[in-house]
Amino acid sequence: HQQKVAGDELLFEGPGTYVPRKEVEVIGEQKAIVVKPNEALKLKATRETVDRNGKNRVAGEEWMVKRNGAYLPGVYEEVVERCRAYVLTEKAAVHIRAKQTFTNHAGKKIKSGEEYLITSEQMETFIPD
């Protein structure tokens, strides 16, 4: 762990009792958010941080948490929104345009500006990354 300096924020994760030292100020309490099936959380780094999966994030970077269950945002993570999955059927697909180059769930590289269709043949539900 890095050395804490004046101005740094920290998150005490329970279960446990936290008795603050005189050198710290309690800013607030953070409750876990339950991610239900066919839901995801869009998070944003408020400053350089390391996410729950150990990935380095830069200030302003956004990412999705799709794993079901309780998620406790880190001290430098802001919940942007809760997203619902698109349910795909034989009569409903999703038209996608990539905002930046990335590698999709199937390992295919998608270039910025590229457009494609996601259908029920590929997956039952879709949550954009």
Side-chain angles (χ1 to χ4, degrees):
H1 289 288
Q2 291 179 310
Q3 182 71 27
K4 300 289 182 197
V5 296
D8 278 354
E9 295 180 17
L10 62 100
L11 184 65
F12 174 81
E13 296 182 34
T17 303
Y18 179 69
V19 179
R21 298 171 52 116
K22 66 180 185 225
E23 300 89 359
V24 301
E25 169 190 9
V26 175
I27 297 171
E29 289 184 34
Q30 175 69 51
K31 297 209 181 295
I33 300 165
V34 177
V35 180
K36 298 175 185 165
N38 293 324
E39 278 188 347
L41 292 178
K42 182 187 275 190
L43 301 176
K44 181 178 185 177
T46 57
R47 75 176 228 190
E48 208 171 277
T49 189
V50 177
D51 71 13
R52 295 268 177 216
N53 295 322
K55 184 169 182 190
N56 291 323
R57 303 289 183 172
V58 296
E61 182 177 353
E62 293 184 347
W63 69 99
M64 301 291 274
V65 172
K66 298 179 182 180
R67 190 175 70 234
N68 292 343
Y71 184 82
L72 185 61
V75 70
Y76 297 118
E77 295 176 5
E78 171 189 328
V79 177
V80 176
E81 65 179 317
R82 184 185 296 256
C83 303
R84 301 236 359 114
Y86 292 92
V87 177
L88 307 174
T89 67
E90 293 173 359
K91 297 181 181 183
V94 180
H95 181 188
I96 303 293
R97 178 181 302 119
K99 294 195 297 188
Q100 62 189 40
T101 300
F102 70 99
T103 303
N104 72 9
H105 65 282
K108 182 181 178 206
K109 188 171 185 175
I110 307 293
K111 294 182 180 172
S112 180
E114 193 173 328
E115 296 184 31
Y116 57 101
L117 207 58
I118 297 181
T119 66
S120 61
E121 291 178 8
Q122 296 165 294
M123 58 187 72
E124 293 177 5
T125 61
F126 174 71
I127 299 175
D129 288 328

